[in-house]
Structure formats: C-alpha cells, structure tokens
Amino acid sequence: MIRLSGIARTFLVGGEEVHALRAVDLGIAHGEYLSIMGPSGSGKSTLLNIIGLLDRPDTGTYELDAKNVTALSDDELARVRREKIGFVFQFFHLVPRLTAAQNIELPMVLAGIDPAARRPRLARLLAEYGLEERAGHRPDQLSGGQCQRVAIARAMSMGPTVILADEPTGNLDRHTGQEVLGVLERVHHNGGTVVVVTHDPEIGARSQRRLRMLDGAVVADEKG
Amino acid sequence: MRLADLFDFAWQVLRSSISRTLLILLAMGIGVAAVVVVTSLGEGARLYVANQFGSLGTNLIIVLPGRSETSGGMPGVLIGKTPRNLTLEDALALKRSHAIRRFAPLIIGAGDVRAGALSRETPVLGSTAELMDIRHMEMAQGSFLPPGDPRHSQPVCVIGAKVANELFGSRPALGEWVRIGDRRFRVIGILAAQGQSLGFNTDEIVIVPLAAAQALFNTESLFRILVEAKSREQIAAAKADVEEIVRLRHEGERDVTVITQDAVLATFDRILRALTLTVASIAAISLAVAGILIMNVMLIAVTQRRREIGLLKALGATGHQIQLAFFTEALLLALGGAVAGLAVGELGRSFAVQMYPAIPFQAPWWALAAAPATALLTAVLFTVAPARRAARLDPVQALSRR
C-alpha cells in the first residue's frame, strides 16, 4: 500500500548539510500497526512528513496505493492528503475558534462535501469517539485527552488510507496517553492502518511492527 | 470548498477577533462615508446653482448694454464714439427673429412706495406682460401687467408678497392705490412668495409697466432685455439674431453683451463638477489608507495563524483554497465597511439637508457606486500579498513551531 524506495532527504542547516534520511526503503501493508522509534534527530519525523506528503524527498520514489506520488504538484498532493492521509499531532493542532464538531468537520468542509452529507458522518464520528456531549465546546474548554480524541476523529473523517500520529501521547499524562493510544488501536482493530512516531519504548512495544531509526536510516524492523 | 463554507469560515475568523474586525470596519467606513458626504455636498451645490438658474427662466438669453471685449485703448471721445444705450426700440426690433419666442425689456430703479401712511423703499421693475412667463413668476392674487403696447402704460402695478404684507398687513391689497415717487398706481396683482433666486428677491419688488418706469426714473435706456428662445436648440440662433439685430441698429457696433443662461450654467457646472471630483479623490485617499490597514492586519494574521494555515494544508487545503479564505475575509471586511460607510454617509447627508434645506444634497450615483467599489478593490488588491504568503507557507515548518 505504501512503498518507499531509496528515499533521501537533506536539509541545509547553517550552511551544513544534514542527512535527515539516507536511502530509506520501506513498505507498509494495509491494516498494519507500525511504530517508528528512535532518538530525536534520527529522521523519524521527516519520514512521517514524507509519508504524509507534507514534505518531498530529494531522491527516491514513493508509491501510495500503487500510484507514484513523488512527482505530483502541490495542489495534487493536497488533494491526495485530503483523501488518504489522517494526521494526529503531538500538540493536537485544533483551530481554537471552532467547536469540537466544527474541527472534526473541517476536512470534509475543505473537500467541499455537501452539508447534508456531512451531518450524518459527523454524528457518527462524535458518537464513535465519545464526544457527543462536547460537540459544541471549543478546544480551550476541552481536556487534553478530549482534544486528542477530536484530532483523531478529524483524522478519520475522510476515511483515510493511513493514520499518521506524531508523538500522539507526548503532551498527555500517562493515563490519558494510554486512553488515546487505546483509541488509535481501536482504529487499527477496525482495519485501519496506523503509523505512530514515538520515542517512548513502552508505547512502541504495543505495536505489532516496530521500526527503529538512527541517523536517518532504518536500523531495525521487528514484527510480532 | 463550498462558497457557503468559505463565507462561514471567514465569518468565524472575523467574529473571533471582534475588536480587530471593528477597527477595520471603522477605517473602511470612514473612507466610504467621506466620499459619499463630500460628493453629496458638491453635487448639492451644483444642483442648487442649476435650480437657481432654472428659476430664472428656460432657454433664457440676457442682453445687457456695454460690451465685454477689450478694444481701443483711447477714450471714446477721441475717436468719436459714445457708448450707446439699449433702448425699447432695440427690444421691439427683436420681434423680427424667428428663433425668439418672447422677450421682456427691463428697467430697474429704487423707489419710495407709499400706501397711506406707510412707506417703503423697494426695487421697482419696469417691464412688460411677457416678463411673467419668461421669469416663471406666479401670482398669488389678481393678474400680472396687462399686455399691450409697451410704449404706453396704464397706472397699474404688481407687488411682491412681502411688500403687500408690509404695506397693507392683513388688509386686502388688491385694488388699492400706492404712490411711487410722484405717481399713483393701482395694485392689480400680488406675486406668490418665491424667495431668493440668484440674489434677487421677487418678494420685495414692485413691478410697473415699462413706460411708467421710464417716466418714473426719467430714462430711456434699458437695464436688460430678457429673451426666451423658442427651444433649447434655437438658443444659439436666437443669440446670433440678437447680436445681429442690435448691431445693425447700432450702426454696426457690437456694443451689447449677450449672455446665454446655458453658457453660464455650463461654466458653473464644470467648475462645481471639477471641485466635487477633486475633493472626492482626496476623500478616496482615506480608502487607500484603509486598504493598507487591511494588508497590515492580514500580514499579521498570516504570522499569527501560521499553525492554523499549516494545519489546513495538512488537512488537504490547496494553496488556492488558503488564498480564497484570506480574500473572503478581506472582502467581508470591505463589504461591511462599505455598508457601514454608506449608512453613515447617508446620515451625514440627511444632517446636511436638515441644516440647509434649500440645497438639494444628494450623492451622485457614480459616487455611490465608486466608493464601495473602491473599498472592495483596495481590500482585494492589498490582500494579494498576504494571501500569497499564506499559500506558500511550508506546512512542516508551520506545524513544528509551537
């Protein structure tokens, strides 16, 4: 489903070339639950951004759903992102002036889906992530866990091919973090593909496939 | 993104930072209102002047003695010329022209008008029956001067509304005798109150037959001849006729000045229009300033909403959509400012009308269209740069910063 071959990405930091990724080959199958671990600066976030089409590799090819997306234009990438990728961020990134429901609805609004078609989908998402009573609240009236549930519901709203979560529990206490992880795992159990970037080995250990990165290269790929 | 959603999204932004929104609305509103008020004043002045000229008569040509060209340099005595008077015979000769519908010779003097023990110094006009139609005068009571040969006169007069009130009070003035100088006149008509028109108040005059005025002021020469052309198109022909007829009668000398009402009006019209345009453009500068304010605020918004823009991109918004969102926001602001400005401008206009009811203050249609259009245009124009900056934002960087 996702096939990266020879992906490299170099940044120029203070006149010095930093190899964030060096020729990474990676395949992710449909329905996989994958964690990417490694120290900071190991390239795991860059890898996630490239999988999420937010960043472009300098070299290499990326196939998403058997389609080469390496050479797409910015607008085409935005459309693919909208249809196939769901993001969950460490700092939630909810729009502060919008209610929980409006935040969840946002990708559908951007996609130009008719309000009549949005309503039942929104109701289903609110119910599925236990947010019905919080639908009219703004992010500053929600707890961290609730915020992240809103973010996951938003990521799921377009029925994406893959959910990409960057340190989804990094800004939450242990208990809430477990709960949010549970929500992500439920997405996986329902057949979704989930990629989690974390530096917490305990969280990484819960996934069925664990990638370990160091200095821009995948150094370990364990399953089971 | 659907249009309704786009507006909804912009609306949410504007509502969430209400003081910022109100400030821009204020700036935009002031600009639009200034244009509307200023053009209302200018247009009001223009219409006022036009009305004043209109009340003088239609298709009017005014003939006055003396010429306006410069010539000679030597006094007339030395070259055997004397300034010729405009006489009743000159006026009567105008009957020959086919372009002229009617004319009224005019003599003006000041007279002491007495009725019983009351006496009043008023302007006394000597003229003929045609004056009423030429000058669009209206009678309150009685009739105007009787038609007939202007060389002979009956001892009758027509008095202005104020004169009647001053001399006779509530008593009926019609049929009473008044004394002007050493002559007696019977009052046969009272003019309807019309008020001031171009510095001449018909409420305060007494009109007597031309021959009577000639005797009264002991003069043959006319003050003016008022000529009415048959139509607007005939004005030029009538003017040429007047000049030619008088020149022939004055031994080939062009010693009268002929003014057409149209020419005077057109001059005033040009001047006042130019003034209005100039002042309106100055007012429009405030619109440009409001546009710059919008750009400023939008640039700040791009910086403030970096994370949000990055997020929208991550959620699949194209650069085009982000630009549209910013344009919609600016457009809503300009629209609100324009509506508020038009309302305030209308308020200012009606206030001016309250203060000076005589002047028809009215914003011209082009100003009512141009002011909001300029507001919208500057808003959109000044949003181009911020919107493009937002659209180009790198989502990875925008999202990585807290």
Side-chain angles (χ1 to χ4, degrees):
Chain A
M1 186 193 76
I2 290 173
R3 175 141 303 281
L4 304 175
S5 30
I7 295 285
R9 180 78 171 97
T10 310
F11 293 109
L12 215 59
V13 181
E16 217 175 305
E17 282 196 350
V18 176
H19 298 276
L21 292 176
R22 313 164 190 257
V24 171
D25 297 311
L26 178 65
I28 301 172
H30 189 78
E32 262 193 303
Y33 178 18
L34 176 88
S35 68
I36 305 175
M37 281 182 295
S40 55
S42 59
K44 54 190 193 304
S45 285
T46 307
L47 182 60
L48 197 77
N49 286 334
I50 284 177
I51 296 174
L53 299 169
L54 287 178
D55 202 358
R56 290 166 184 273
D58 296 324
T59 56
T61 53
Y62 174 10
E63 279 176 43
L64 178 60
D65 283 343
K67 189 177 170 237
N68 189 346
V69 292
T70 327
L72 292 184
S73 75
D74 279 352
D75 280 1
E76 285 168 325
L77 283 181
R79 249 163 248 133
V80 174
R81 224 158 33 221
R82 182 195 293 164
E83 306 291 334
K84 302 195 169 173
I85 314 265
F87 283 101
V88 177
F89 304 96
Q90 179 177 1
F91 299 113
F92 322 137
H93 286 313
L94 302 179
V95 180
R97 63 175 174 278
L98 301 181
T99 63
Q102 286 168 325
N103 266 295
I104 295 172
E105 209 181 6
L106 201 50
M108 296 192 276
V109 169
L110 289 171
I113 295 171
D114 197 81
R118 294 201 305 247
R119 226 164 289 129
R121 279 165 77 169
L122 179 64
R124 191 174 48 77
L125 286 163
L126 284 170
E128 201 174 324
Y129 294 93
L131 291 162
E132 282 151 314
E133 283 166 24
R134 299 266 136 192
H137 288 61
R138 273 177 238 288
D140 56 2
Q141 297 162 321
L142 299 174
S143 72
Q146 285 165 340
C147 280
Q148 202 58 306
R149 287 218 300 273
V150 170
I152 295 170
R154 179 179 65 191
M156 290 302 291
S157 67
M158 290 295 288
T161 310
V162 58
I163 289 279
L164 303 176
D166 193 354
E167 304 274 10
T169 61
N171 209 29
L172 300 171
D173 62 57
R174 204 182 127 75
H175 175 74
T176 325
Q178 296 287 337
E179 179 198 317
V180 164
L181 222 52
V183 174
L184 280 174
E185 278 161 8
R186 212 171 67 225
V187 170
H188 160 64
H189 284 305
N190 292 339
T193 314
V194 178
V195 177
V196 179
V197 163
T198 180
H199 61 267
D200 186 344
E202 193 187 332
I203 293 167
R206 291 170 65 148
S207 62
Q208 41 162 247
R209 182 177 172 196
R210 294 168 297 280
L211 237 57
R212 193 169 297 280
M213 291 193 69
L214 200 64
D215 286 338
V218 178
V219 292
D221 187 349
E222 305 163 4
K223 287 188 188 181
Chain B
M1 208 167 169
R2 296 159 49 85
L3 200 65
D5 289 328
L6 201 61
F7 276 106
D8 208 43
F9 190 79
W11 177 245
Q12 299 268 13
V13 174
L14 296 180
R15 230 182 42 178
S16 70
S17 44
I18 196 82
S19 58
R20 180 189 80 125
T21 304
L22 286 180
L23 272 175
I24 301 183
L25 285 185
L26 187 69
M28 267 291 166
I30 287 175
V32 172
V35 171
V36 169
V37 168
V38 158
T39 52
S40 295
L41 296 184
E43 188 72 359
R46 197 180 69 79
L47 287 176
Y48 178 71
V49 170
N51 286 348
Q52 292 277 294
F53 271 90
S55 72
L56 277 184
T58 29
N59 307 330
L60 198 63
I61 300 168
I62 301 163
V63 187
L64 41 149
R67 61 180 151 192
S68 49
E69 306 102 88
T70 315
S71 72
M74 270 180 277
V77 189
L78 287 182
I79 48 171
K81 275 201 291 187
T82 47
R84 239 172 301 261
N85 288 330
L86 199 57
T87 64
L88 177 59
E89 298 306 319
D90 290 336
L92 291 174
L94 296 181
K95 276 184 183 161
R96 274 190 272 146
S97 167
H98 296 291
I100 292 172
R101 171 167 300 162
R102 50 184 158 231
F103 60 88
L106 212 62
I107 290 179
I108 288 187
D112 196 27
V113 182
R114 269 169 293 154
L118 294 174
S119 153
R120 185 177 173 80
E121 175 100 356
T122 65
V124 175
L125 244 69
S127 192
T128 59
E130 281 78 19
L131 180 69
M132 177 166 158
D133 291 326
I134 293 179
R135 281 289 322 262
H136 297 171
M137 285 174 169
E138 275 168 39
M139 303 302 296
Q141 293 173 45
S143 55
F144 200 70
L145 299 177
D149 188 348
R151 278 169 281 227
H152 305 289
S153 72
Q154 296 168 303
V156 293
C157 70
V158 174
I159 60 178
K162 190 170 177 190
V163 177
N165 191 41
E166 294 283 329
L167 290 181
F168 296 99
S170 54
R171 284 187 293 129
L174 221 55
E176 293 294 322
W177 289 87
V178 294
R179 186 172 271 282
I180 306 173
D182 53 359
R183 287 165 159 262
R184 283 182 8 117
F185 296 89
R186 185 187 285 276
V187 177
I188 59 164
I190 296 166
L191 294 171
Q194 272 181 314
Q196 199 97 358
S197 82
L198 272 181
F200 197 69
N201 195 338
T202 52
D203 296 349
E204 289 189 56
I205 56 167
V206 173
I207 305 173
V208 299
L210 188 77
Q214 283 179 327
L216 207 56
F217 301 121
N218 189 25
T219 176
E220 283 292 305
S221 75
L222 300 178
F223 173 67
R224 297 273 190 276
I225 304 174
L226 300 182
V227 178
E228 186 183 325
K230 279 196 175 139
S231 66
R232 201 181 163 80
E233 291 72 38
Q234 302 255 43
I235 289 176
K239 186 185 177 198
D241 282 355
V242 169
E243 282 174 340
E244 183 62 15
I245 290 168
V246 177
R247 189 179 68 83
L248 286 175
R249 288 186 47 81
H250 287 196
E251 289 145 21
E253 289 291 330
R254 292 184 177 276
D255 57 1
V256 292
T257 302
V258 182
I259 305 170
T260 62
Q261 183 191 12
D262 264 28
V264 179
L265 185 56
T267 307
F268 268 103
D269 214 63
R270 266 204 308 280
I271 294 171
L272 288 169
R273 249 185 224 283
L275 265 177
T276 307
L277 263 177
T278 313
V279 187
S281 350
I282 293 172
I285 291 176
S286 60
L287 277 177
V289 173
I292 293 172
L293 182 76
I294 284 193
M295 173 154 92
N296 207 351
V297 165
M298 288 297 173
L299 281 173
I300 294 171
V302 173
T303 316
Q304 275 179 342
R305 304 220 292 267
R306 273 180 73 91
R307 284 206 306 157
E308 181 189 321
I309 296 163
L311 169 77
L312 288 177
K313 285 196 145 184
L315 295 183
T318 60
H320 183 64
Q321 282 180 320
I322 303 239
Q323 288 202 31
L324 263 183
F326 273 87
F327 278 125
T328 310
E329 201 179 319
L331 220 58
L332 278 182
L333 280 172
L335 216 60
V339 169
L342 287 179
V344 171
E346 174 60 25
L347 220 69
R349 190 195 68 82
S350 48
F351 180 70
V353 168
Q354 292 269 313
M355 298 285 287
Y356 303 98
I359 305 179
F361 292 112
Q362 190 178 22
W365 65 267
W366 55 263
L368 287 179
T374 314
L376 293 185
L377 196 75
T378 45
V380 169
L381 225 57
F382 281 109
T383 309
V384 169
R388 287 178 72 164
R389 180 182 285 198
R392 285 210 201 105
L393 216 58
D394 175 17
V396 174
Q397 279 190 18
L399 285 168
S400 67
R401 290 194 202 168
R402 277 217 63 183

